[in-house]
C-alpha cells in the first residue's frame, strides 16, 4: 500500500498532465479497468504509436525517480 501511494505521489511530481493521464488510464489507477493503447488513443485523439511513446517516456521517468530515492 505504501508503494502504491508513493507511485501516485511520483505521478504528480514527475509527470506532465498528458503522461499522468496515459499512465492512469493504461494501468487503471483511476478506479476504472485498464485501457489498451488503442483505446487511450481513440479517447485522446492521438495515434496509438504516440500513446506508446508517451507511456514509455513516463515509465522511464518514474523508474529514474524511484532509483534516485
Amino acid at each position: 500500500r505504501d508503494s502504491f501511494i508513493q507511485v501516485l505521489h511520483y505521478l504528480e511530481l514527475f509527470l506532465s498532465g498528458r503522461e499522468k493521464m496515459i499512465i492512469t488510464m493504461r494501468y487503471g489507477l483511476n478506479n476504472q479497468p485498464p485501457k489498451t493503447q488503442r483505446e487511450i488513443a481513440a479517447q485522446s485523439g492521438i495515434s496509438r504509436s504516440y500513446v506508446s511513446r508517451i507511456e514509455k517516456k513516463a515509465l522511464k521517468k518514474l523508474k529514474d525517480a524511484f532509483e534516485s530515492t
Side-chain angles (χ1 to χ4, degrees):
R1 175 151 165 78
D2 290 339
S3 295
F4 181 70
I5 291 171
Q6 188 174 12
V7 167
L8 294 179
H9 180 68
Y10 279 23
L11 284 174
E12 292 294 324
L13 284 177
F14 296 103
L15 300 185
S16 71
R18 181 172 269 174
E19 291 168 337
K20 184 171 50 172
M21 177 197 72
I22 287 173
I23 295 299
T24 299
M25 291 171 72
R26 184 80 170 113
Y27 296 97
L29 302 178
N30 53 354
N31 293 324
Q32 299 291 320
K35 297 193 181 306
T36 65
Q37 290 177 345
R38 185 164 274 118
E39 291 170 325
I40 295 168
Q43 194 170 352
S44 303
I46 58 179
S47 70
R48 189 215 49 84
S49 62
Y50 191 45
V51 170
S52 178
R53 287 193 305 268
I54 293 170
E55 179 184 359
K56 185 176 180 179
K57 179 180 172 186
L59 291 175
K60 180 172 180 356
K61 280 185 180 180
L62 290 173
K63 180 180 177 228
D64 291 347
F66 268 103
E67 289 176 350
S68 70
T69 59

